[in-house]
Amino acid sequence: MSGARERDPGLQPERTRLAWRRTTLAFTVAAVLAARQVAGGGLSTAGFVAVACSALVWLGFLRVAHRRVHALGGRPTPRTLPEPAALAAVACTIALAGFAVAMIV
């Protein structure tokens, strides 16, 4: 079709970069809420350990996201996310959910 608009290769990496930033923000909010739980008191030893592990997982996810955002910057066709980085992001997400359950119980 001659009238069809061509795809702008710069939009998809920008959307992906923004999605990584939103996900990092959501991860940060979850970690801050965990820290708030500790500050409120009434947390068991297992809950305190879960909060500490949540902070470590947050740092790990922050590193993966930071590296991905920088990899997406300035390239019209960025490389795909390496498999170890994808697995690390998934593991961090599952771990954070598990630690949240441990804090509640």
Side-chain angles (χ1 to χ4, degrees), residues 40-61:
L43 197 62
S44 67
T45 304
F48 184 75
V49 169
V51 170
C53 290
S54 295
L56 290 174
V57 167
W58 173 74
L59 288 172
F61 186 82

Side-chain angles (χ1 to χ4, degrees), residues 52-80:
C53 290
S54 295
L56 290 174
V57 167
W58 173 74
L59 288 172
F61 186 82
L62 193 63
R63 179 183 169 141
V64 170
H66 180 73
R67 293 181 79 186
R68 185 61 183 159
V69 166
H70 280 287
L72 290 168
R75 293 186 184 154
T77 54
R79 291 177 288 174
T80 59

Side-chain angles (χ1 to χ4, degrees), residues 13 16 18 20 27 32 35-36 40-43 46 50 57 59 71-72 74 80 82 86-87 91 94-95 105:
T16 304
L18 290 172
W20 274 100
F27 225 94
V32 167
R36 184 173 176 220
L43 197 62
V57 167
L59 288 172
L72 290 168
T80 59
L87 290 174
I94 291 171
V105 174

Side-chain angles (χ1 to χ4, degrees), residues 33-43:
L33 289 175
R36 184 173 176 220
Q37 185 74 16
V38 169
L43 197 62

Side-chain angles (χ1 to χ4, degrees), residues 13-25 61 69:
E14 179 64 22
R15 285 192 302 267
T16 304
R17 189 171 29 258
L18 290 172
W20 274 100
R21 287 184 177 156
R22 283 191 306 271
T23 304
T24 302
L25 178 62
F61 186 82
V69 166

Side-chain angles (χ1 to χ4, degrees), residues 6-14 75-78:
E6 293 200 25
R7 180 180 166 277
D8 182 2
L11 292 178
Q12 193 274 332
E14 179 64 22
R75 293 186 184 154
T77 54

